[in-house]
Amino acid sequence: MIRETRFLISRRPYAVDLTSLRGGLRETPRGSSYRGRIGAVWFRRRKGVTVACIGTLWDFQDTAPTSAVEFLERHTDGRYGGDCDGRWDGERYWGAQEPAVIEQHLALLRPMLANYPNIPDGFDGWWKF
């Protein structure tokens, strides 16, 4: 991924929580592999409506990264995009079914969409493939 200083929705950027990187090495038939996940938020357009999304970015890498930035810089395959856990379009929520998780998501997504295209506090962006 490449970090950009300017937001362009057409480039499908992500803002990430650099403190949220989780993962570990796993043995595979071809050797060891690191599987990592990092929390992210992003804006997209759906049928002409801007939506705010929350979820994760994941990747398999040959070795464990030393930092979240290194993980992102080595993450070059963006064909799957982010795994969306929740989405807010200003009227409707899509995502989790547990009330506590819905409340957590909306506490972030509502102000995020209202402050479009600003990065929410605690996130670093914008990262694109």
Side-chain angles (χ1 to χ4, degrees):
M1 296 185 83
I2 300 166
R3 189 173 190 287
E4 294 191 327
T5 57
R6 196 170 85 154
F7 174 83
L8 292 171
I9 198 165
S10 62
R11 293 194 179 173
R12 303 178 60 80
Y14 299 86
V16 297
D17 177 356
L18 294 175
T19 66
S20 68
L21 178 63
R22 302 289 181 264
L25 288 172
R26 294 183 177 179
E27 290 301 319
T28 67
R30 298 184 321 185
S32 63
S33 174
Y34 176 83
R35 176 171 180 165
R37 298 181 75 78
I38 191 164
V41 294
W42 58 93
F43 295 107
R44 292 294 184 267
R45 292 241 167 83
R46 294 178 49 82
K47 300 177 183 174
V49 176
T50 301
V51 299
C53 304
I54 186 169
T56 56
L57 298 172
W58 60 270
D59 192 29
F60 292 103
Q61 299 180 356
D62 292 335
T63 59
T66 58
S67 69
V69 170
E70 181 183 345
F71 173 79
L72 293 167
E73 289 173 343
R74 292 186 343 200
H75 189 0
T76 58
D77 184 357
R79 71 183 123 169
Y80 301 112
D83 285 347
C84 186
D85 297 328
R87 180 175 58 235
W88 174 247
D89 68 4
E91 293 181 20
R92 292 176 193 84
Y93 171 81
W94 169 92
Q97 298 299 308
E98 299 84 18
V101 176
I102 294 169
E103 289 174 21
Q104 288 175 341
H105 285 178
L106 289 176
L108 178 66
L109 296 175
R110 280 182 173 140
M112 182 178 153
L113 187 59
N115 293 310
Y116 172 83
N118 297 320
I119 300 168
D121 291 339
F123 287 82
D124 181 74
W126 292 102
W127 293 84
K128 73 169 191 82
F129 288 99

